[in-house]
Amino acid sequence: MNLKELYLFKDLDEKTIRQIENISVKSNYVKDNIIFYEGDESKYLHLLIKGVVKLYKSTSNSKEIVMKYFYDNELIAELSNFEKIPYPASAVAYSECEVLKIDFEQFRKIIYSNEDLILKIQSSLIKKIKNLERIISSQLVLDTHQRVAKYIVENQEDFFNTKNILIAQMLNITPETLSRVLRNYKDKSLIDMKNKTINQEELITIYS
């Protein structure tokens, strides 16, 4: 594939594109294939070309905590590369996936000579930090109804286009619990699944 089709590289010159191609390899994964495990060395920068990848941690009692779902054109756990630390969570293919694996030490030299790349990666890191803050806030402070309301408000478009089982995993609740909460919100006219609308003001009052 042409790397310029990917958001991260679309504005780069041909010379830089060739440099990146020389230090990259495309890997294909089927559903449930592990891309990397928590604790693995962060040698490669992973850019998801196509598919869905789930990032999760396992607790001491084998409970799975979903950190994030990644979609087309997203970097996966890139903070580990910059901090030179092992991956803090495991990544698994949630569907058939194509992932570009880039030798990060070589890529680092390219990044710091290209301002556009720096800004795009900075933006990606900021989004990851905000996502982590959301997870911490939701898990430690909010109850189930509040977590669901907050997710709906902050992810209105995604909410109507994402399967309930995925939303439940992201919120670390059971699909049955999510269904009960959503049914309650429908009955109170807080969400309208048919017209894909929400009563944002009322939902905000639930968790604020």
Side-chain angles (χ1 to χ4, degrees), residues 1-7 9-10 12 14 17 21 26 49 100:
M1 70 167 297
N2 186 344
L3 292 188
K4 283 203 168 187
E5 295 175 10
L6 300 173
Y7 166 76
F9 307 132
K10 68 177 182 179
L12 300 182
E14 291 300 328
I17 289 291
E21 287 175 339
K26 188 178 77 170
I49 299 172
L100 190 70

Side-chain angles (χ1 to χ4, degrees), residues 73-190:
N73 258 325
E74 283 196 88
L75 290 170
I76 304 171
E78 69 273 26
L79 184 61
S80 303
N81 302 108
F82 284 94
E83 292 294 316
K84 296 183 179 181
I85 59 174
Y87 294 116
S90 300
V92 62
Y94 196 80
S95 68
E96 289 191 2
C97 296
E98 291 182 15
V99 177
L100 190 70
K101 296 172 62 176
I102 308 169
D103 185 303
F104 186 72
E105 283 307 308
Q106 297 296 318
F107 187 56
R108 185 193 294 271
K109 301 171 186 175
I110 299 173
I111 294 172
Y112 293 126
S113 64
N114 190 293
E115 183 178 346
D116 185 60
L117 263 179
I118 291 175
L119 291 174
K120 287 180 179 178
I121 291 175
Q122 182 183 58
S123 175
S124 178
L125 287 169
I126 290 171
K127 288 179 181 177
K128 301 298 191 319
I129 292 170
K130 286 182 177 179
N131 181 69
L132 182 59
E133 290 175 342
R134 178 189 62 77
I135 292 172
I136 293 172
S137 174
S138 294
Q139 297 301 316
L140 298 182
V141 179
L142 305 181
D143 65 24
T144 300
H145 279 77
Q146 291 172 322
R147 271 189 275 170
V148 175
K150 186 175 176 65
Y151 175 85
I152 294 172
V153 170
E154 294 182 349
N155 303 273
Q156 182 173 347
E157 185 175 342
D158 286 344
F159 167 67
F160 289 112
N161 296 310
T162 304
K163 293 180 179 179
N164 280 0
I165 189 170
L166 285 182
I167 297 174
Q169 288 184 334
M170 282 188 277
L171 298 176
N172 290 301
I173 60 179
T174 66
E176 294 77 15
T177 298
L178 176 62
S179 293
R180 285 196 297 271
V181 174
L182 294 180
R183 194 179 308 116
N184 178 263
Y185 289 169
K186 291 175 190 174
D187 292 343
K188 293 180 178 178
S189 299
L190 298 180

